[in-house]
Amino acid sequence: MADSSFDIVSKVERQEVDNALNQAAKEISQRFDFKGTGASISWSGEKILMEANGEERVKAILDIFQSKLVKRGISLKSLDAGEPQLSGKEYKIFATIEEGISQENAKKVAKIIRDEGPKGVKAQVQGDELRVTSKSRDDLQAVQALIKGKDLDFAVQFANYR
């Protein structure tokens, strides 16, 4: 029997992020406390731009956006938001969506699997993802439980389980 395998990836569905951003923009436009403050959230190239006339308001916009992401099932670990910056009279926050597992993080996960996972499980870095193989499907499920139990500083999903 051939080895079973799955991939550990860090991907974010762009359409879901877009939907969360649109919902946040709609809420901001309708909320009374944001009326007349120039508060907005929008795409600026590959980054997300949040603007308002006060530092607290721009942080509130970020909070609204984060709550919309959570409701859409997107991990906040994949959102990299900067600090509020004063630009003229406006405060701005730039945020990016992180995708892919860096080589350094992939090596950390592979080390966790090697050290704490079942024997006979192999982890191999392939670009920005990690392929985990084993003869036993039970061992693969144990590895998934192990990775879910770890508090990693990036979002992970499991794909191509076969």
Side-chain angles (χ1 to χ4, degrees), residues 10-12 77-81 95-101 154-155:
S10 181
K11 290 194 169 41
V12 176
K77 291 178 180 177
S78 59
L79 178 72
D80 182 22
T96 55
I97 301 295
E98 302 287 325
E99 286 194 295
I101 301 174
F154 55 95

Side-chain angles (χ1 to χ4, degrees), residues 43-149:
W43 284 104
S44 174
E46 284 297 306
K47 293 184 176 186
I48 298 163
L49 172 64
M50 294 164 255
E51 295 178 296
N53 65 358
E55 188 174 355
E56 292 305 314
R57 284 204 173 97
V58 81
K59 285 181 179 177
I61 293 171
L62 177 61
D63 191 46
I64 291 168
F65 182 54
Q66 287 175 334
S67 71
K68 299 299 180 190
L69 286 174
V70 168
K71 284 182 184 171
R72 296 208 148 265
I74 298 170
S75 172
L76 292 182
K77 291 178 180 177
S78 59
L79 178 72
D80 182 22
E83 289 298 311
Q85 300 169 338
L86 184 61
S87 173
K89 292 183 178 179
E90 298 265 303
Y91 278 90
K92 297 181 179 186
I93 293 179
F94 286 99
T96 55
I97 301 295
E98 302 287 325
E99 286 194 295
I101 301 174
S102 69
Q103 290 288 334
E104 181 182 313
N105 286 336
K107 287 178 184 172
K108 282 183 196 171
V109 174
K111 184 170 175 18
I112 289 169
I113 293 169
R114 241 188 352 265
D115 294 347
E116 301 175 33
K119 298 288 180 242
V121 176
K122 294 182 203 70
Q124 181 180 13
V125 178
Q126 295 183 330
D128 61 351
E129 55 188 45
L130 193 69
R131 164 97 13 112
V132 180
T133 57
S134 173
K135 291 194 184 316
S136 165
R137 287 185 169 227
D138 292 341
D139 287 351
L140 291 181
Q141 289 175 340
V143 168
Q144 285 183 352
L146 173 71
I147 298 301
K148 284 180 186 172

Side-chain angles (χ1 to χ4, degrees), residues 23-37 39 56-57 59-65 67-68:
Q23 286 178 339
K26 186 173 182 181
E27 182 175 325
I28 289 163
S29 71
Q30 293 175 345
R31 272 183 43 176
F32 180 76
D33 56 336
F34 286 117
K35 291 274 189 258
T37 62
E56 292 305 314
R57 284 204 173 97
K59 285 181 179 177
I61 293 171
L62 177 61
D63 191 46
I64 291 168
F65 182 54
S67 71
K68 299 299 180 190

Side-chain angles (χ1 to χ4, degrees), residues 5-9 129-131 144 157-162:
S5 69
F6 69 89
D7 295 333
I8 299 175
V9 297
E129 55 188 45
L130 193 69
R131 164 97 13 112
Q144 285 183 352
Q157 295 87 31
F158 304 110
N160 297 333
Y161 187 76
R162 51 178 168 263

